[in-house]
Amino acid sequence: MKVTFIDLQAQYRSIRDEIRQALERVVDSTNFILGEEVERFEQNFAAYLGAKHCVALNSGTSALHLALLSLGIKEGDEVITTTHGFIAPAEAISYTGATPVFVDINARDLNLDVSRVSDAITDKTRAIIPVHLYGQPVDMSGLMKIAGESGIPIIEDAAQAHGAEFLTERGWKKAGSIGEVGCFSFYPTKNLGACGEGGALVTDSQEVYESTRMLRNHGQKDKQYNHPFIGYNYRMTAFQGAVLDVKLKRLDEWTEARRARAALYNSELKDAPVKTPGEFENRRSAYQQYVVMVKDREGLMTYLQEKGVETGVYYPQLIPFQGAYRYLGHREGDFPVAETCARECLSLPLYPELEDDSIRYVCDSIKAWAKSV
Ligand SMILES: Cc1ncc(COP(=O)(O)O)c(C=O)c1O
């Protein structure tokens, strides 16, 4: 049997007509940048998340960059973030001239270890960027407590967590809507994926909203070529706004499908020698990925490949150990939990249309591998 890691065609087939109509509408309008299609998506995405405002952008990296700028982060400042994951949050911190301060993850949820954050705070700390990695929410109650006590704002990187939820004192909240700003990517393989690059930030802050709207469009205040400060060209195209609005309507359905598939993996793998993702009563993962930990990762990957099962490694090298951050002088042993995770994490196929039989085949193959070694 062949089991692909991801199948974007399957999703496209189910909404082909709507997507093509949306794209055609944009072509016919000849209104290609921002405009009504993007505004409609901004309103709907903000409402979906329970946030006051949404600013649509050209990528998730731009969202992180503008979130930091809007909070006044600049050279000389420090921003705390996670060690294991995609490099974008660290890069966004670097774009502002600030320094990323890396904190180890915890083995339970593979996210920023909130119990270590207080020790990393100095008099230069100006923000914290937790990343809801693989769709699993960070322990936001612990983090919001630290934010409340220290006054340091939280920028949530929810690039992999559209639709994920965390139980707060005010009830279930969507990832990205809990901190000061929430940042999303619509890269095509994300749970809510554009037909190209895309991103957005959401916030309840009027100030952040107004400044990021200007920053995304060359710092322009109005349409009169009035530029009070230097901005960027981080605008979303109308094609992406139109497509994302079609897909947003299906997001909950797709998220439930991901959760059902993750539950099947969990039950099929309960006796297998792999560690399955953490499940928490106060969190609902959006399962952007289904990641297990296994000591002999290479052995299992090779075996599964021979059985026709595609897998992936996200991410084999920690951010502080990348060449880009060598200047910070981190060494092996600085982040023991994340280092183990980088050696042992293995992503199994997961997408909303994945058949149960395929999941059972993957799990049977894992159990057969375990018996053979
Ligand atoms: C956790 C995380 N943050 C940020 C980004 C950056 O998003 P984009 O590729 O849209 O710039 C990504 C994209 O993969 C991501 O996974």
Side-chain angles (χ1 to χ4, degrees):
M1 188 188 256
K2 176 122 188 73
V3 187
T4 54
F5 187 65
I6 185 167
D7 182 3
L8 293 183
Q9 288 284 339
Q11 185 188 77
Y12 176 59
R13 277 196 297 273
S14 71
I15 49 171
R16 188 174 178 273
D17 290 348
E18 279 175 88
I19 295 286
R20 292 174 78 96
Q21 276 163 21
L23 293 174
E24 204 173 305
R25 203 168 60 233
V26 174
V27 180
D28 286 347
S29 77
T30 64
N31 191 357
F32 296 115
I33 313 289
L34 296 174
E36 161 184 335
E37 298 284 349
V38 171
E39 277 165 28
R40 186 183 312 120
F41 171 66
E42 286 176 329
Q43 279 163 18
N44 290 337
F45 195 50
Y48 173 79
L49 294 167
K52 279 198 184 135
H53 309 289
C54 171
V55 180
L57 301 160
N58 62 348
S59 76
T61 310
S62 305
L64 289 159
H65 185 199
L66 294 196
L68 288 158
L69 289 178
S70 69
L71 295 175
I73 313 299
K74 57 181 188 325
E75 196 172 344
D77 294 342
E78 292 178 359
V79 179
I80 293 171
T81 192
T82 188
T83 42
H84 172 71
F86 191 55
I87 196 168
E91 284 180 308
I93 296 165
S94 300
Y95 295 165
T96 69
T99 304
V101 173
F102 295 104
V103 168
D104 204 353
I105 61 170
N106 74 75
R108 280 159 27 93
D109 61 15
L110 308 182
N111 282 327
L112 186 68
D113 186 343
V114 174
S115 71
R116 293 172 194 259
V117 168
S118 295
D119 285 348
I121 294 176
T122 71
D123 56 3
K124 293 183 181 163
T125 309
R126 295 287 174 270
I128 303 171
I129 306 186
V131 179
H132 306 296
L133 201 68
Y134 309 136
Q136 175 75 271
V138 175
D139 168 14
M140 287 305 289
S141 52
L143 213 48
M144 292 311 286
K145 193 159 172 276
I146 296 172
E149 285 161 7
S150 62
I152 298 169
I154 309 287
I155 298 170
E156 296 177 70
D157 180 338
Q160 300 186 5
H162 319 70
E165 291 178 301
F166 187 87
L167 186 59
T168 69
E169 283 167 3
R170 292 168 293 146
W172 287 98
K173 291 270 170 196
K174 292 267 189 327
S177 71
I178 305 166
E180 184 81 8
V181 192
C183 300
F184 291 85
S185 166
F186 304 122
Y187 188 80
T189 54
K190 298 289 193 263
N191 290 20
L192 182 60
C195 289
E197 303 273 3
L201 63 81
V202 297
T203 185
D204 283 349
S205 156
Q206 185 70 25
E207 235 179 309
V208 168
Y209 173 62
E210 281 171 16
S211 70
T212 51
R213 268 174 71 91
M214 285 164 67
L215 281 165
R216 82 170 162 187
N217 194 12
H218 299 281
Q220 190 165 231
K221 193 167 171 51
D222 41 47
K223 289 207 172 140
Q224 305 305 312
Y225 293 100
N226 175 10
H227 306 264
F229 47 77
I230 293 170
Y232 301 84
N233 178 355
Y234 284 173
R235 299 175 298 228
M236 177 179 272
T237 65
F239 285 122
Q240 307 314 336
V243 164
L244 288 166
D245 204 47
V246 169
K247 289 192 169 193
L248 181 59
K249 296 183 186 75
R250 310 287 176 97
L251 180 58
D252 280 343
E253 184 192 313
W254 291 332
T255 305
E256 282 313 319
R258 285 175 181 277
R259 287 180 183 143
R261 280 147 190 77
L264 181 58
Y265 267 125
N266 286 345
S267 73
E268 292 287 319
L269 290 176
K270 66 177 180 314
D271 300 322
V274 296
K275 189 172 168 236
T276 55
E279 290 274 344
F280 305 88
E281 280 188 355
N282 61 351
R283 307 183 214 185
R284 292 179 185 147
S285 174
Y287 280 105
Q288 208 266 324
Q289 297 210 16
Y290 186 87
V291 180
V292 297
M293 304 266 278
V294 54
K295 287 214 177 338
D296 180 13
R297 180 173 66 195
E298 288 310 308
L300 178 55
M301 276 184 86
T302 309
Y303 186 91
L304 289 176
Q305 199 175 7
E306 282 162 8
K307 294 280 167 198
V309 176
E310 286 177 6
T311 55
V313 176
Y314 299 84
Y315 299 80
Q317 195 175 8
L318 301 190
I319 306 166
F321 295 163
Q322 297 286 349
Y325 289 105
R326 196 168 295 141
Y327 74 96
L328 292 173
H330 289 296
R331 301 208 181 131
E332 215 182 304
D334 282 357
F335 310 102
V337 185
E339 287 168 40
T340 305
C341 182
R343 274 195 306 271
E344 297 185 1
C345 62
L346 182 67
S347 299
L348 303 180
L350 182 69
Y351 51 90
E353 301 79 8
L354 182 62
E355 303 282 349
D356 286 359
D357 282 351
S358 300
I359 295 176
R360 289 198 186 93
Y361 175 74
V362 175
C363 298
D364 288 346
S365 304
I366 293 174
K367 287 185 259 188
W369 166 76
K371 275 200 188 130
S372 73
V373 288

